[in-house]
């Protein structure tokens, strides 16, 4: 009784705190209610009711504050989120959800800094830095929308740079130029080309500058002239910008070190990736090919020139397979007639006591007897007719089999007896009916070659085997052929006829074979079965390979040593000769050069002088002396020291504006000169000192203003 009174007194003491906390909680003041319960619980630590109410209110308060924090986070109110997290920490220190939210805020700040760095790197075209920052963001948040969008922008900028690099061409590539060198050093040829076309050349350390070059190219574009020089000297090239070319030995190792490569993913729709890989490795000589059979994809890494070749190869094989609709009509007409007529006589006669099974001891009472009835007359005739018509339509791909089965599957039971195990039964099914197999091949001219296999089968009997197992006797007719039909043409396959006549006769020996009256002494059964199968096939092409997608012209694919390289064909000018051999360089082909005045030749006592008519200041050029006579030519080639300087002196050092010329009979020699820098627009003549008055006139173009240097992109005067 005392305990009950104490419990009632305690309940009366705690009831006000619980009621006040409940009122505060209902009013939305969860933290105040929690504080009230916490104080009451601390004052009465043994009160389980207060303790339970405190724990429940703490969970309710934390859930309410977390809901507010999530809402503030969604509204991007960072300060409010941090304040709510502090309140949660005060209510429930170390709460896992609050700790996770703090980590999320820190991660969000870090990701925002990375996004800002990526944007700045994109604006400055520092793509590796931008890529690293964006990849770091996506590694933490794969669904980060802004990071994915910026990564897409980065990929587009990189692709644009790759396209620009792939289509980069020499700015002065289309300008006409004339080059005439005989046994000249390679460095001299490039120096002349650099000054005439305003092109910068950077040479690899392994390029031999003393290699000899003989070259006669007139009125040829700079790009084509450079390509010819590179090809004949086993050199490759790479454009660094619009007027700078890197020259290196054209070897596989140098190509791997110096030539840029591009990577591309080919998602194949129709072609087999393994066959595409074999094609690329065979034709384009590419080794860096990866296939993903799950995605039906190829990833290829090659130079831009070879990549263009691979793109055309892939486009040529990734074509949809032709398809054809096969309309089939199969008709089977069968008729069965049977006539069964005659008398059936007993097949045996008995001599003895009728209806007795006792042993016979005397001959009395014996008599002949036969089965009853004595004779049975049979008069029966049957006639059956069957018409089977099947008209299926099936769509088939090129070179793939299509099957049609119209009939039924008959079960065939098989029993197997095993020692110490017993007898086990299994069932298999036998296809009976109409079976057609077709394999079409669509030709480019819309004709269809069809391999046809037709089989018509039917059950002709049933056979009972051991253990009451059942088997079927099947009659079949088969036809296999190959047709070539036009689109919409119908072909009939007929003549599968089965005509059988069966005659069964039974009766009294010799008497039932008598003509006319034989049926009185026996029974004769006449049966005739006739079946004919006719099949009609009509192909209708649904889709064929479009020949417009296939190149009817040969595809330029470079050389055997370097697939994808430009062709050696010159669009303008003509080459007099070249020395050396080599693979094609990687220099892009320029446009056709405009026409210029043809070069002329001046004759002096049988000798001929030839060379350019115009040169810019500082440019090197050659004057060729040709001796068409049968006697050697020995003379001096005179030139103006104020306008020209001799670069090479095969006959000896220059002597006061004179170069010794020694040309064998029916031969020619080339002499290199250079127009002096700073020379204004003027004309100068070169002539032989053997008494001739005519000479070769060279016009020196005006030099640019010294006080205003030419911009790197400005075009140089066009040489002729």
């Amino acid at each position: 009784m005392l305990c009950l009174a104490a419990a009632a007194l305690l309940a009366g003491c705690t009831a006000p705190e619980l009621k006040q906390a409940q009122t505060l909680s209902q009013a939305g003041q969860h933290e105040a209610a929690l504080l009230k319960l916490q104080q009451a619980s601390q004052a009465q630590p043994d009160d389980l009711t207060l303790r339970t109410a405190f724990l429940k209110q703490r969970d309710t308060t934390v859930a309410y504050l977390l809901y507010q924090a999530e809402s503030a986070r969604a509204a991007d109110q960072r300060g409010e989120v941090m304040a709510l997290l502090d309140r949660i920490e005060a209510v429930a220190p170390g709460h896992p959800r609050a700790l996770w939210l703090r980590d999320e805020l820190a991660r969000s700040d870090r990701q925002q800094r990375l996004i800002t760095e990526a944007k700045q790197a994109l604006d400055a075209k520092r793509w590796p830095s931008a890529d690293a920052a964006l990849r770091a963001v996506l590694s933490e948040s794969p669904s980060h929308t802004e990071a994915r969008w910026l990564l897409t922008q980065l990929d587009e900028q990189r692709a644009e740079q790759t396209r620009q690099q792939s289509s980069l061409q020499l700015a002065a590539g289309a300008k006409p130029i004339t080059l005439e060198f005989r046994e000249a050093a390679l460095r001299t040829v490039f120096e002349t080309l650099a000054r005439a076309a305003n092109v910068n050349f950077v040479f690899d350390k392994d390029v031999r500058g003393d290699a000899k070059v003989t070259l006669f190219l007139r009125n040829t574009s700079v790009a084509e002239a450079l390509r010819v020089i590179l090809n004949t000297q086993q050199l490759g090239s790479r454009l660094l910008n619009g007027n700078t070319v890197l020259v290196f030995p054209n070897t596989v190792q140098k190509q791997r070190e110096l030539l840029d490569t591009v990577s591309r993913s080919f998602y194949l729709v129709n072609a087999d990736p393994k066959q595409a890989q074999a094609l690329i490795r065979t034709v384009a000589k590419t080794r860096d090919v990866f296939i993903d059979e799950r995605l039906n994809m190829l990833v290829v890494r090659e130079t831009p020139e070879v990549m263009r070749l691979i793109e055309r190869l892939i486009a040529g094989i990734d074509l949809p397979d032709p398809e054809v609709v096969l309309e089939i009509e199969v008709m089977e007409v069968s008729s069965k007639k049977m006539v069964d007529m005659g008398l059936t006589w007993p097949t045996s006669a008995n001599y003895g006591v009728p209806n007795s099974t006792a042993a016979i001891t005397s001959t009395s009472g014996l008599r002949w007897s036969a089965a009853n009835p004595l004779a049975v007359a049979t008069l029966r005739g049957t006639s059956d007719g069957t018409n089977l018509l099947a008209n299926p339509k099936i769509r088939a791909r090129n070179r793939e089999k299509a099957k049609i089965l119209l009939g039924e599957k008959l079960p065939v039971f098989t029993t197997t007896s095993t020692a110490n195990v017993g007898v086990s039964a299994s069932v298999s099914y036998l296809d009976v009916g109409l079976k057609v197999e077709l394999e079409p091949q669509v030709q480019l001219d819309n004709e269809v070659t069809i391999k046809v296999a037709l089989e018509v089968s039917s059950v002709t009997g049933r056979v009972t085997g051991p253990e009451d197992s059942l088997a079927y006797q099947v009659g079949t007719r088969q036809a296999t052929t190959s047709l070539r039909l036009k689109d919409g043409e119908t072909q009939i396959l007929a003549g599968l006829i089965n005509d059988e006549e069966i005659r069964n006769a039974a009766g009294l020996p010799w008497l039932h074979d008598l003509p006319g009256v034989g049926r009185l002494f026996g029974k004769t059964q006449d049966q005739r079965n006739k079946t004919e199968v006719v099949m009609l096939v009509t192909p209708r092409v649904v889709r064929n390979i479009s020949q417009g997608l296939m190149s009817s012209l040969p595809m330029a694919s470079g050389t055997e040593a370097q697939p994808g390289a430009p062709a050696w064909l010159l669009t303008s000018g003509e080459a007099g000769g070249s020395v050396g051999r080599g693979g094609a360089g990687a220099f892009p082909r320029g446009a056709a050069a405009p026409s210029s005045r043809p070069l002329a030749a001046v004759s002096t006592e049988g000798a001929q002088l030839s060379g350019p008519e115009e040169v810019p200041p500082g440019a090197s050029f050659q004057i060729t002396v040709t001796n068409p006579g049968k006697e050697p030519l020995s003379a001096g080639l005179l030139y103006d020291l104020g306008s020209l300087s001799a670069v090479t002196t095969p006959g000896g050092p220059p002597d006061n504006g004179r170069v010794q010329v020694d040309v064998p009979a029916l031969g020619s020699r080339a002499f290199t000169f250079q127009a002096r820098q700073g020379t204004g627009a003027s004309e100068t003549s070169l002539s032989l000192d053997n008494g001739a008055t005519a000479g070769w006139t060279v016009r020196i173009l005006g030099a640019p203003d010294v006080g205003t240097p030419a911009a790197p992109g400005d075009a140089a005067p066009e040489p002729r």
Side-chain angles (χ1 to χ4, degrees):
M1 191 68 179
L2 183 62
C3 294
L4 292 176
L9 181 63
L10 184 60
C13 294
T14 57
E17 287 80 2
L18 289 174
K19 180 179 283 189
Q20 292 174 3
Q22 184 178 5
T23 302
L24 291 173
S25 178
Q26 292 176 352
Q29 301 179 13
H30 298 283
E31 293 173 89
L34 182 64
L35 180 60
K36 177 70 69 175
L37 292 174
Q38 183 180 12
Q39 292 174 354
S41 179
Q42 290 176 354
Q44 302 178 23
D46 295 334
D47 192 335
L48 296 179
T49 304
L50 284 175
R51 181 66 178 171
T52 303
F54 167 72
L55 294 176
K56 290 182 177 180
Q57 184 60 40
R58 187 178 67 176
D59 292 342
T60 302
T61 304
V62 170
Y64 176 72
L65 293 176
L66 284 174
Y67 171 76
Q68 289 186 325
E70 293 286 0
S71 300
R73 181 188 173 205
D76 200 16
Q77 298 175 355
R78 177 179 174 81
E80 183 69 18
V81 175
M82 294 301 297
L84 289 170
L85 290 178
D86 292 339
R87 291 164 62 183
I88 295 173
E89 186 69 22
V91 171
H95 193 278
R97 183 64 179 176
L99 296 177
W100 180 84
L101 280 175
R102 287 188 184 276
D103 292 340
E104 281 295 307
L105 289 177
R107 181 162 54 248
S108 177
D109 293 342
R110 182 171 62 255
Q111 291 177 358
Q112 191 59 40
R113 290 195 302 270
L114 291 173
I115 290 293
T116 304
E117 294 177 3
K119 290 181 179 179
Q120 295 174 354
L122 278 175
D123 295 338
K125 297 187 181 302
R126 292 185 284 107
W127 294 319
S129 301
D131 184 78
L134 294 175
R135 298 290 181 186
V137 174
L138 292 175
S139 64
E140 295 181 347
S141 302
S143 60
H144 198 288
T145 305
E146 188 175 8
R148 285 193 171 277
W149 182 81
L150 289 174
L151 188 61
T152 302
Q153 298 297 317
L154 173 61
D155 292 339
E156 290 180 358
Q157 293 185 17
R158 282 179 165 175
E160 180 64 25
Q161 184 194 36
T162 301
R163 287 193 295 269
Q164 292 177 359
Q165 291 177 352
S166 300
S167 59
L168 184 63
Q169 293 190 0
L170 196 64
K175 293 183 178 180
I177 192 173
T178 295
L179 297 175
E180 295 185 357
F181 293 95
R182 181 184 296 276
E183 295 296 328
L186 183 63
R187 65 171 64 91
T188 303
V189 177
F190 275 111
E191 180 182 0
T192 303
L193 188 59
R195 293 178 178 177
N198 193 23
V199 179
N200 302 322
F201 290 100
V202 180
F203 295 93
D204 185 82
K205 61 182 181 64
D206 295 328
V207 175
R208 292 181 53 195
D210 57 348
K212 298 301 181 181
V213 179
T214 297
L215 188 69
F216 295 94
L217 291 177
R218 301 183 180 183
N219 192 23
T220 305
S221 65
V222 173
E224 293 175 343
L226 180 57
R227 188 169 68 251
V228 169
I229 296 173
L230 294 173
N231 291 344
T232 56
Q233 298 301 313
Q234 291 185 332
L235 298 175
S237 67
R238 172 186 172 184
L239 274 176
L240 303 181
N241 56 30
N243 63 342
T244 304
V245 182
L246 171 64
V247 180
F248 55 87
N250 190 17
T251 61
V252 176
Q253 184 63 29
K254 287 296 181 180
Q255 290 176 6
R256 293 179 180 177
E257 293 176 358
L258 300 177
L259 291 182
D260 289 334
T261 60
V262 294
S263 299
R264 180 175 173 183
S265 300
F266 295 92
Y267 290 90
L268 304 179
V269 179
N270 305 285
D272 184 6
K274 291 185 178 180
Q275 294 182 353
Q277 181 188 39
L279 173 66
I280 293 172
R281 287 182 173 175
T282 302
V283 179
K285 311 297 183 184
T286 300
R287 297 186 299 175
D288 299 336
V289 183
F290 171 79
I291 63 172
D292 187 343
E293 296 184 4
R294 180 178 63 91
L295 298 177
N296 211 39
M297 178 191 67
L298 285 90
V299 180
V300 185
R301 184 172 70 93
E302 256 298 351
T303 60
E305 291 78 18
V306 181
M307 188 63 70
R308 285 191 286 270
L309 172 62
I310 294 174
E311 290 172 356
R312 295 191 62 184
L313 293 175
I314 294 296
I317 65 171
D318 194 20
L319 299 175
D321 290 338
E323 290 187 80
V324 61
V325 171
L326 299 173
E327 299 180 357
I328 303 171
E329 294 185 19
V330 180
M331 293 175 289
E332 182 181 6
V333 180
S334 63
S335 62
K336 296 181 180 179
K337 294 183 179 181
M338 184 187 67
V339 176
D340 192 0
M341 185 174 63
L343 295 176
T344 303
W345 295 93
T347 59
S348 63
N350 299 323
Y351 180 74
V353 180
N355 301 324
S356 175
T357 58
I360 298 175
T361 58
S362 67
T363 60
S364 62
L366 299 179
R367 61 181 180 178
W368 288 94
S369 64
N372 189 31
L374 180 63
V376 177
T378 302
L379 299 173
R380 185 179 63 175
T382 61
S383 178
D384 296 333
T386 304
N387 293 326
L388 174 63
L389 174 62
N391 187 19
K393 295 182 180 179
I394 187 169
R395 182 167 176 168
R397 294 177 60 183
N398 192 42
R399 297 177 181 270
E400 291 193 4
K401 288 185 177 181
K403 297 182 179 181
I404 300 173
L405 175 62
L406 300 176
E408 56 184 359
K409 290 179 176 289
L410 300 179
V412 178
F413 294 95
T414 304
T415 58
T416 303
S417 178
T418 306
N420 301 327
V421 175
V423 178
S424 60
S426 61
V427 60
S428 60
Y429 292 91
L430 177 65
D431 294 331
V432 177
L434 174 65
K435 185 187 301 182
V436 183
E437 290 188 2
L438 304 148
E439 183 178 350
Q441 180 180 350
V442 183
Q443 310 296 334
L444 292 179
D445 56 357
N446 276 357
E447 291 190 356
V448 183
T449 301
I450 309 174
K451 294 181 180 179
V452 182
L454 173 65
E455 179 181 355
V456 180
S457 57
S458 60
V459 176
T460 59
R462 291 172 173 82
V463 180
T464 303
E467 301 291 338
D468 295 331
S469 61
L470 183 64
Y472 296 94
Q473 183 177 355
V474 178
T476 181
R477 279 161 291 168
Q478 296 181 350
T480 303
T481 185
S482 181
L483 311 173
R484 179 158 181 162
L485 305 177
K486 296 181 180 179
D487 184 17
E489 180 183 359
T490 301
Q491 178 63 44
I492 300 177
L493 281 77
L496 295 178
I497 301 175
N498 183 22
D499 192 355
E500 60 179 5
E501 293 184 2
I502 303 174
R503 182 182 180 89
N504 295 321
L508 298 178
W510 301 293
L511 296 178
H512 76 280
D513 291 331
L514 294 175
V517 296
R519 296 181 185 272
L520 298 176
F521 302 98
K523 185 180 70 171
T524 302
Q525 185 183 63
D526 295 326
Q527 184 176 357
R528 183 173 183 180
N529 300 329
K530 184 176 182 180
T531 306
E532 182 178 3
V533 178
V534 178
M535 185 176 74
L536 290 80
V537 180
T538 305
R540 301 191 184 276
V541 178
V542 178
R543 179 176 56 228
N544 201 352
I545 295 178
S546 176
Q547 300 187 40
L549 299 176
M550 304 171 62
S551 177
S552 59
L553 297 176
M555 183 189 307
S557 57
T559 63
E560 181 70 21
Q562 189 175 358
W568 285 43
L569 182 65
L570 300 180
T571 58
S572 62
E574 56 184 19
S578 60
V579 176
R581 63 179 184 178
F587 192 77
R589 185 172 177 175
S595 60
S596 60
R597 288 185 299 170
L599 296 177
V602 178
S603 175
T604 300
E605 292 186 354
Q608 295 180 352
L609 301 180
S610 62
E613 295 181 353
E614 296 178 353
V615 294
S620 298
F621 62 97
Q622 286 189 330
I623 297 295
T624 302
V625 181
T626 304
N627 179 19
K630 298 182 180 180
E631 298 293 332
L633 173 64
S634 179
L637 181 58
L638 304 178
Y639 61 96
D640 184 8
L641 286 175
S643 302
L644 305 175
S645 62
V647 178
T648 59
T649 56
D655 183 13
N656 194 20
R658 181 181 183 277
V659 175
Q660 179 63 33
V661 175
D662 294 315
V663 183
L666 301 177
S668 62
R669 294 290 300 273
F671 303 90
T672 304
F673 297 87
Q674 182 179 10
R676 295 187 181 276
Q677 292 282 1
T679 304
S682 61
E683 291 186 354
T684 182
S685 298
L686 298 92
S687 60
L688 297 176
D689 61 357
N690 54 2
T693 57
W696 183 262
T697 301
V698 178
R699 183 182 303 108
I700 302 176
L701 303 176
D705 189 359
V706 179
T708 306
D714 293 341
E718 296 185 1
R720 296 192 178 184

